[in-house]
Amino acid sequence: ILAASVLLAGFQSMGMGGGSGANDPGGKGGPPPQISGVALPEGYSLDADRTIILGEGDRWIGRLSYSVSSSADSMFDFIRSQMSNYGWKEVAVVRAETSQLTYLSGDADRVASILITRSTLYGSKVDMTVSPSSGSGTISSGRAPAARR
């Protein structure tokens, strides 16, 4: 419990987690996390209540949630055109009411899953989840390995 409290306090002090930023009474926005290595649009507004980042720089994992004033279609095109500039390889893409883009890092040790939804009034919301890959250089099928005899 102590470790969880220290971790949560660390996220809150970085503007991530359950607290709201001093300049943002609604709990949205806040300072951007210290991450790199992924396509992020200018002027994005961090959703601190839904963001959890472990690590920093271009080796982070976790979920980055943000909103932008650009349309969902524009965000889809932006992310699709820019992720390769950061060494990510496109694995799967679905453009729909909720669009999904999946990427594998250049050294195949991380997977990025990006969901883009239209906002109610204007703009769009983006959830980018980056996690360790299966380690084999391919994305796992989700099936258990066959039993050895």
Side-chain angles (χ1 to χ4, degrees):
I1 295 177
L2 177 60
S5 298
V6 170
L7 186 62
L8 180 58
F11 285 139
Q12 289 174 340
S13 72
M14 294 187 309
M16 296 181 272
S20 61
N23 297 328
D24 193 3
K28 305 290 186 227
Q34 300 300 311
I35 62 168
S36 61
V38 293
L40 293 172
E42 292 209 18
Y44 72 92
S45 178
L46 182 71
D47 183 344
D49 290 336
R50 294 184 35 80
T51 295
I52 181 167
I53 301 293
L54 303 173
E56 61 186 12
D58 64 356
R59 301 303 310 156
W60 66 277
I61 59 171
R63 181 178 62 217
L64 177 65
S65 294
Y66 61 90
S67 59
V68 292
S69 58
S70 303
S71 71
D73 288 332
S74 293
M75 277 308 303
F76 180 94
D77 293 339
F78 170 79
I79 290 171
R80 191 162 190 206
S81 70
Q82 295 298 310
M83 284 295 280
S84 63
N85 294 340
Y86 296 92
W88 293 90
K89 297 175 192 160
E90 189 174 279
V91 175
V93 176
V94 177
R95 187 187 293 251
E97 188 67 27
T98 296
S99 295
Q100 181 169 0
L101 301 99
T102 304
Y103 291 87
L104 187 62
S105 65
D107 51 8
D109 67 341
R110 294 185 303 155
V111 175
S113 178
I114 304 163
L115 296 175
I116 304 169
T117 56
R118 290 170 175 74
S119 292
T120 305
L121 298 176
Y122 74 98
S124 54
K125 295 181 181 180
V126 178
D127 282 331
M128 179 182 294
T129 303
V130 176
S131 60
S133 73
S134 64
S136 65
T138 60
I139 297 175
S140 171
S141 67
R143 288 183 250 150
R148 296 182 115 175
R149 294 182 188 205

